[in-house]
């Protein structure tokens, strides 16, 4: 029997509708069903019924009963970056599936802001905190440890809490090899025509640069330090770097490894000042997925960091007892030219959702 539409749907209503016990329904709604070894199909059916019948938890009362708030936090460096926005979207999607309320805060790669934001979120009794791309993840650890809050590092690792990061070395190796192999046998790439631009002195960039030099040494017999131009994560600085290399040669090198989407933006700014140039013999690599870059007139090979798997792994860690500060490496994906990929938002758009059907 369907619940009375004039009354608020309860756990017991969902129990009747699903045929599951009230305790099973409760475990699904509070996100602890995996620990209870409840079937995923059962959890999905209960979640569907909860949404259909507009079930909502009294979070304050629930928090008092369970000493939990139902809130979970994510610290991001910035929003306007496809990788970080994908992490935020995956985080929100998975948090809501677990009956949690996600809170996302940007900290601008500022260690003081990271600590202050963590303290502020903890004051709202968050149940856990994901610390993404932090300049000082161990500093955030100190704040969380003092408050007894579970926390996991994403994108950049720390030394005092579990971390989930991209396998930057292997991603850098695969991208460098793909750039070299993109050139035909009758016009092979030479060592001086392959450079890396972008990034800063962080663990991700160091791993990618090491892979870049290793591949150059293996394939060409040597690799020079001046083949790498670290500009920071700055579109302006990257544009200036491209201009320097252009002026030194009278053209761009035939192959460029660009070390982030932000630095790729600098490359696009450079192109606006050189519209008449012919780039048909060039191949660009980007260690990030920039959807529209795939359809430029010249080949762009990209590495997409697997945000969905990173976030899923982090939530799996939360389901287990606290563990040592292990680093979990997530393989990134090579994206060939002229390729468009799906992302976390595709899961929440309905099949018939089309901008043409929306009023402006």
């Amino acid at each position: 029997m369907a619940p009375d539409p004039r009354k608020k749907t309860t756990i017991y209503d969902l129990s009747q509708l699903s045929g599951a016990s009230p305790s099973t329904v409760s475990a699904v709604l509070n996100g602890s069903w995996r620990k209870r070894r409840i079937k995923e199909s059962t959890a999905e059916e209960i979640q569907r019924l909860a949404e259909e019948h507009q079930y909502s938890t009294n979070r304050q009362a629930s928090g008092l009963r369970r000493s939990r708030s139902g809130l979970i936090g994510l610290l991001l460096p910035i929003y306007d970056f496809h990788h970080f926005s994908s992490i935020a979207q995956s985080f929100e999607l998975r948090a809501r599936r677990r009956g949690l309320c996600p809170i996302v805060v940007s900290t601008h790669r500022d260690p003081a802001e990271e600590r202050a934001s963590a303290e502020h979120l903890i004051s709202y009794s968050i149940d856990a905190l994901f610390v993404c791309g932090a300049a000082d993840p161990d500093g955030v650890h100190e704040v969380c440890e003092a408050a007894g809050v579970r926390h996991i590092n994403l994108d950049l690792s720390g030394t005092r809490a579990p971390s989930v990061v991209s396998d930057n070395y292997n991603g850098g190796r695969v991208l460098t090899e793909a750039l070299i192999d993109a050139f035909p046998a009758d016009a092979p790439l030479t060592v001086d025509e392959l450079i890396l631009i972008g990034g800063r002195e962080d663990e991700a960039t160091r791993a990618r640069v090491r892979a870049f030099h290793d591949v150059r040494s293996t394939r060409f017999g040597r690799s020079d330090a001046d083949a790498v131009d670290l500009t920071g994560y700055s579109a302006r600085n990257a544009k200036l770097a491209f201009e320097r290399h252009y002026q030194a040669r009278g053209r761009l090198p035939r192959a460029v490894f660009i070390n982030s989407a932000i630095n790729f933006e600098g490359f696009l700014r450079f192109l606006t000042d050189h519209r008449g140039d012919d780039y048909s013999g060039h191949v660009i690599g980007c260690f990030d997925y920039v959807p529209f870059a795939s359809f430029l007139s010249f080949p762009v090979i990209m590495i997409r960091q697997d945000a969905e798997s990173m976030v899923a792994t982090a939530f799996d860690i939360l389901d287990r007892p606290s563990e040592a500060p292990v680093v979990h490496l997530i393989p990134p994906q090579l994206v060939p030219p002229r390729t468009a990929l799906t992302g976390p938002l595709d899961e929440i758009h309905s099949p018939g959702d089309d901008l043409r059907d929306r009023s402006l």
Side-chain angles (χ1 to χ4, degrees):
M1 186 174 70
D4 185 339
R6 295 168 298 178
K7 295 175 64 178
K8 198 171 184 179
T9 303
T10 68
I11 283 176
Y12 301 98
D13 294 326
L14 295 177
S15 172
Q16 274 195 327
L17 289 167
S18 65
S21 69
S23 64
T24 296
V25 173
S26 178
V28 170
L29 297 177
N30 68 31
S32 63
W33 58 273
R34 287 182 177 83
K35 295 178 182 176
R36 292 268 309 273
R37 300 185 184 278
I38 294 168
K39 289 183 179 178
E40 187 168 358
S41 58
T42 300
E44 288 175 350
E45 176 62 7
I46 292 170
Q47 289 166 345
R48 185 189 68 77
L49 289 168
E51 184 174 347
E52 179 183 335
H53 294 280
Q54 299 180 326
Y55 172 84
S56 61
T57 301
N58 181 333
R59 292 196 180 280
Q60 187 175 23
S62 177
L64 289 172
R65 287 194 302 274
R66 297 184 290 117
S67 297
R68 293 167 61 92
S69 65
L71 304 175
I72 186 166
L74 168 66
L75 297 184
L76 283 181
I78 53 175
Y79 293 107
D80 58 344
F81 182 15
H82 192 270
H83 174 52
F84 291 144
S85 66
S86 293
I87 285 177
Q89 290 159 9
S90 296
F91 169 78
E92 291 192 16
L93 190 64
R94 289 184 177 274
R96 289 196 172 98
R97 283 178 177 172
R98 290 166 173 254
L100 299 170
C101 180
I103 306 174
V104 182
V105 178
S106 172
T107 58
H108 310 289
R109 299 189 193 275
D110 181 341
E113 186 61 38
E114 290 165 0
R115 292 176 67 106
S117 295
E119 290 170 351
H120 194 66
L121 290 173
I122 289 169
S123 73
Y124 283 90
S125 300
I126 57 170
D127 296 331
L129 181 64
F130 287 14
V131 184
C132 178
D136 182 19
D138 288 347
V140 178
H141 166 85
E142 293 175 1
V143 174
C144 293
E145 186 179 48
V149 172
R150 290 286 302 275
H151 53 291
I152 296 169
N153 298 313
L154 285 175
D155 187 64
L156 292 176
S157 66
T159 64
R160 302 175 66 185
S163 302
V164 183
V165 303
S166 292
D167 188 342
N168 289 289
Y169 179 84
N170 277 317
R173 177 184 57 78
V174 167
L175 182 56
T176 308
E177 290 177 343
L179 282 169
I180 297 170
D181 293 338
F183 290 86
D186 60 349
L189 192 68
T190 65
V191 65
D192 295 323
E193 294 176 308
L194 173 61
I195 64 171
L196 184 153
I197 290 179
R200 63 188 178 92
E201 280 293 338
D202 59 30
E203 65 178 59
T205 294
R206 285 193 292 270
R208 297 169 195 173
V209 167
R210 183 161 50 88
F212 177 78
H213 281 308
D214 286 351
V215 172
R216 284 173 105 246
S217 296
T218 299
R219 300 290 286 269
F220 299 119
R222 67 180 176 87
S223 188
D224 307 307
D226 61 4
V228 173
D229 194 342
L230 298 186
T231 63
Y233 296 119
S234 163
R236 177 182 178 277
N237 290 347
K239 177 182 182 294
L240 294 174
F242 277 105
E243 194 64 55
R244 285 195 305 272
H245 288 280
Y246 180 91
Q247 294 300 331
R249 295 173 169 84
R251 61 177 178 80
L252 276 187
R254 287 203 294 158
V256 184
F257 182 134
I258 301 176
N259 197 27
S260 80
I262 297 172
N263 298 128
F264 192 88
E265 181 183 334
F267 171 61
L268 295 179
R269 294 182 188 182
F270 165 83
L271 290 183
T272 63
D273 293 340
H274 298 272
R275 290 189 181 93
D277 291 4
D278 179 13
Y279 295 100
S280 59
H282 292 70
V283 180
I284 301 299
C286 181
F287 201 109
D288 266 322
Y289 178 55
V290 184
F292 302 112
S294 185
F295 299 95
L296 291 171
S297 61
F298 46 83
V300 179
I301 306 169
M302 290 178 278
I303 291 289
R304 183 175 78 159
Q305 301 182 74
D306 191 348
E308 293 92 333
S309 293
M310 290 172 69
V311 173
T313 300
F315 272 107
D316 287 343
I317 292 170
L318 276 185
D319 288 337
R320 304 195 291 264
S322 297
E323 65 173 43
V326 176
V327 177
H328 302 261
L329 295 178
I330 305 299
Q333 176 183 2
L334 183 73
V335 183
R338 312 290 186 265
T339 303
L341 303 178
T342 59
L345 281 179
D346 292 282
E347 296 186 43
I348 59 177
H349 287 320
S350 62
D353 192 12
D354 192 316
L355 286 174
R356 292 172 298 178
D357 299 330
R358 299 180 188 175
S359 59
L360 298 177

